[in-house]
Amino acid sequence: MSEIVEQTQLPPSGPEVNVNQEEKTVSPWVDVWRRFRKNKAALFGAVLVSFFILLAILADLIAPYGFKETALENKHLPPSSDHWFGTDEFGRDIFSRVVYGARISLWVGFISVAGSVIVGSSLGIIAGYYGRWVDTIISRLFDILLAFPSILLAIAVVAMLGPSLQNALIAIAIINVPTFGRLVRSKVLTVKEEEYITAAKAIGMKDSRILLHHVLPNSLAPIIVQGTLAIATAIIEAAALGFLGMGAQPPTPEWGKMLADSKDFIMQAPWTVFFPGIAIMLTVLGFNLMGDGLRDALDPRMRN
């Protein structure tokens, strides 16, 4: 009987213990990456996004022609070895303009979403953490912005500021602020009730330190996911404003503006519309797939 007791009290050993210890020491972000790379659709989206980012960075090396180079004698040439995507009504190389357009569209997407994240998250954290009248004022501001259809609000902002790519960027940033604000506010309302926040207040930690070192880091997951999806939305909104003539102005090779300039030649030269449209579709698809994958990877309920 004593031998049986001694056997049951022996400490566990062997490879199973090492596996358990390794799992315990794995960083949460490493765990997120492991689950993200198992999602084939998300990896495909990441590849698409990476491709267009590289295209934008290396545009000067990849594009065979300048995006402003015109040759009226070569207008509406079909795709060929000299002009892979054909030419437009001014004889400009569409492939070169699509490549440079990647730089503009991604720049608008990243910068506008970054502005939305900074402003919206700051307001959301303040509203959720302090509550009371501060929360009421900020929440009503969000409600007012959300009461307007996003594209109409963007058009109104650009109409007041004047049509340009920079003003379109500002408009897109403004219409996405309440989305991030309400998302972060709802997360903060949960986080601020945790015991470690109560402990931080009990030892006299300043609110600014609590917000930066405890509340914000624990609210990053939904911000990352929404930010990825918002970039896709921002690219579509920038293309819509460009199509309406309220975004990028000629000769800027913005994809939406390229569609607007070519809509009258869709039957005569369909390639002038096809390739910019495909570029928009693939870029938005990549960000959406990657955002969905990040959402699943960062969701604690998806962990085994």
Side-chain angles (χ1 to χ4, degrees):
M1 185 70 178
S2 61
E3 292 179 358
I4 297 175
V5 174
E6 289 176 359
Q7 289 177 0
T8 58
Q9 292 177 349
L10 288 175
S13 60
E16 293 182 359
V17 177
N18 295 332
V19 171
N20 292 333
Q21 290 177 351
E22 183 180 354
E23 290 179 352
K24 291 180 181 179
T25 57
V26 169
S27 167
W29 292 108
V30 173
D31 186 41
V32 168
W33 165 243
R34 287 179 178 177
R35 283 182 281 119
F36 178 83
R37 69 185 181 184
K38 292 179 182 178
N39 190 327
K40 302 302 181 184
L43 283 179
F44 177 69
V47 169
L48 282 177
V49 171
S50 301
F51 170 76
F52 279 101
I53 290 176
L54 287 176
L55 204 66
I57 295 173
L58 303 176
D60 294 327
L61 300 176
I62 296 174
Y65 303 93
F67 66 87
K68 293 190 291 185
E69 287 186 29
T70 61
L72 294 178
E73 66 276 10
N74 293 330
K75 70 176 183 178
H76 288 161
L77 292 180
S80 64
S81 58
D82 293 329
H83 303 281
W84 293 354
F85 291 177
T87 60
D88 61 10
E89 68 274 19
F90 295 106
R92 295 174 298 194
D93 183 67
I94 294 177
F95 174 75
S96 299
R97 289 178 63 78
V98 168
V99 169
Y100 279 104
R103 177 179 293 179
I104 294 170
S105 294
L106 291 176
W107 178 75
V108 171
F110 281 114
I111 298 300
S112 62
V113 170
S116 301
V117 168
I118 294 172
V119 177
S121 298
S122 299
L123 293 175
I125 288 175
I126 293 172
Y129 185 77
Y130 291 103
R132 307 179 74 174
W133 63 270
V134 176
D135 185 18
T136 301
I137 294 175
I138 295 177
S139 296
R140 295 298 78 77
L141 175 62
F142 291 159
D143 291 339
I144 292 172
L145 292 175
L146 290 172
F148 298 93
S150 59
I151 188 63
L152 291 181
L153 181 59
I155 291 173
V157 173
V158 175
M160 289 187 294
L161 300 177
S164 70
L165 185 62
Q166 290 76 15
N167 293 339
L169 187 152
I170 295 172
I172 294 170
I174 290 174
I175 64 178
N176 286 318
V177 164
T179 302
F180 287 98
R182 296 186 70 175
L183 178 68
V184 173
R185 174 185 173 275
S186 63
K187 183 66 176 179
V188 171
L189 289 175
T190 303
V191 171
K192 75 174 185 178
E193 301 298 331
E194 298 290 340
E195 293 181 357
Y196 60 87
I197 299 296
T198 305
K201 292 179 180 178
I203 63 175
M205 186 177 292
K206 295 181 179 180
D207 287 345
S208 58
R209 186 175 178 83
I210 293 175
L211 292 175
L212 291 176
H213 291 81
H214 297 290
V215 176
L216 181 59
N218 286 283
S219 305
L220 282 179
I223 294 176
I224 293 173
V225 174
Q226 184 59 38
T228 305
L229 297 172
I231 292 175
T233 304
I235 291 174
I236 293 177
E237 290 166 345
L241 291 173
F243 186 85
L244 295 173
M246 306 189 75
Q249 301 300 305
T252 305
E254 195 273 325
W255 291 336
K257 183 60 179 173
M258 291 174 67
L259 290 176
D261 293 340
S262 303
K263 66 181 184 299
D264 295 332
F265 310 103
I266 189 170
M267 299 302 296
Q268 177 184 352
W271 54 86
T272 59
V273 176
F274 177 78
F275 291 109
I278 286 294
I280 295 173
M281 185 199 74
L282 291 178
T283 307
V284 172
L285 176 64
F287 278 107
N288 282 336
L289 290 177
M290 192 169 68
D292 289 340
L294 286 173
R295 180 191 58 202
D296 295 340
L298 291 168
D299 190 348
R301 294 171 296 181
M302 300 296 291
R303 298 176 185 173
N304 296 325

